[in-house]
Amino acid sequence: MTTPEAIEGYLRTGIVCDHLAVSGDGAHFEAVIVSSAFAGKSRVARHQIVYGALGDRMREEIHALSMKTHTPEEWAAIQAGS
Amino acid sequence: MSIQDTIREQVTAHPVVLYMKGSPQFPMCGFSANAAQILKACGVDKPFTVDVLQNPEIRQGIKEFANWPTIPQLYIKGEFVGGSDIMREMYESGELKQMLDTAKG
């Protein structure tokens, strides 16, 4: 069974993350991903970067992944606001 | 006609198209249910929906069409808008309703 830790590993291999948190139950996962790779990118393009890092695993292992994607600047603003 | 052509025809023939699992009345997946509910909340009562569970070719083809591995997928005026996470974010910010209002009008 896929674990949140395994998904974290896959993501770290493909994306340089400032902050990464993955939780889930083996079928449904949630990820918060903060990376400067998202700067200047649309929401769709950001998610495509994440799906690209997961590759075929998205088809085979991971039934559902819900994600929030932020740049370091956006993340700092969110942290400051909460 | 190839499956990619069929999809292109569907998304351009209708202003709002949702590819989902099941129907808005009987969604077969929580993410698809959310997507249909968000459209309803934005005032789109009868979106053109395609049940990918009834059509395996479209289920596979739509993933290639938008380079997007998951379902649901929302298209407005032929353009891929996003999946359920993006729909939720854009709904909460008001962007989605604005886009849908423009597309309908």
Side-chain angles (χ1 to χ4, degrees), chain B residues 13-66:
Chain B
H14 307 273
V16 181
V17 184
L18 182 67
Y19 291 85
M20 66 182 291
K21 293 180 180 170
S23 67
Q25 291 75 31
F26 298 101
M28 300 299 286
C29 159
F31 295 97
S32 286
N34 283 342
Q37 267 167 12
I38 286 172
L39 286 183
K40 199 172 179 196
C42 288
V44 184
D45 287 328
K46 289 194 170 74
F48 183 83
T49 62
V50 178
D51 179 0
V52 300
L53 298 178
Q54 303 289 334
N55 194 328
E57 279 192 324
I58 289 198
R59 183 179 184 171
Q60 187 51 43
I62 196 69
K63 297 180 180 183
E64 289 152 20
F65 186 77

Side-chain angles (χ1 to χ4, degrees), chain B residues 61-75:
Chain B
I62 196 69
K63 297 180 180 183
E64 289 152 20
F65 186 77
N67 184 27
W68 194 264
T70 58
I71 287 153
Q73 292 188 15
L74 175 68
Y75 292 78

Side-chain angles (χ1 to χ4, degrees), chain A residues 43-44 47-48 51 64 66-67, chain B residues 66 68-70 81 85 89 95:
Chain A
R43 290 187 182 91
V44 168
H47 286 219
Q48 280 167 333
Y51 289 140
S66 180
M67 64 176 115
Chain B
W68 194 264
T70 58
V81 174
D85 288 340
E89 274 179 39
E95 280 168 87

Side-chain angles (χ1 to χ4, degrees), chain A:
Chain A
M1 193 171 78
T2 307
T3 61
E5 291 73 28
I7 293 182
E8 260 191 62
Y10 303 150
L11 291 173
R12 283 200 193 278
T13 307
I15 307 169
V16 179
C17 301
D18 279 33
H19 171 85
L20 178 62
V22 183
S23 60
D25 61 6
H28 296 76
F29 296 94
E30 286 182 24
V32 177
I33 307 157
V34 180
S35 171
S36 50
F38 299 141
K41 299 270 196 329
S42 69
R43 290 187 182 91
V44 168
R46 291 176 183 199
H47 286 219
Q48 280 167 333
I49 290 173
V50 177
Y51 289 140
L54 294 171
D56 286 341
R57 295 186 185 97
M58 207 51 224
R59 267 194 286 277
E60 291 151 12
E61 291 178 34
I62 306 166
H63 169 66
L65 172 70
S66 180
M67 64 176 115
K68 290 195 161 69
T69 51
H70 305 290
T71 64
E73 291 74 20
E74 289 163 1
W75 183 241
I78 290 167
Q79 298 296 94
S82 63

Side-chain angles (χ1 to χ4, degrees), chain A residues 43, chain B residues 38 41-42 76 81 86-102:
Chain A
R43 290 187 182 91
Chain B
I38 286 172
C42 288
I76 299 179
V81 174
I86 291 178
M87 284 181 71
R88 173 157 301 278
E89 274 179 39
M90 291 180 71
Y91 171 59
E92 284 167 359
S93 71
E95 280 168 87
L96 188 62
K97 181 158 185 2
Q98 205 172 14
M99 256 179 110
L100 288 164
D101 286 348
T102 312

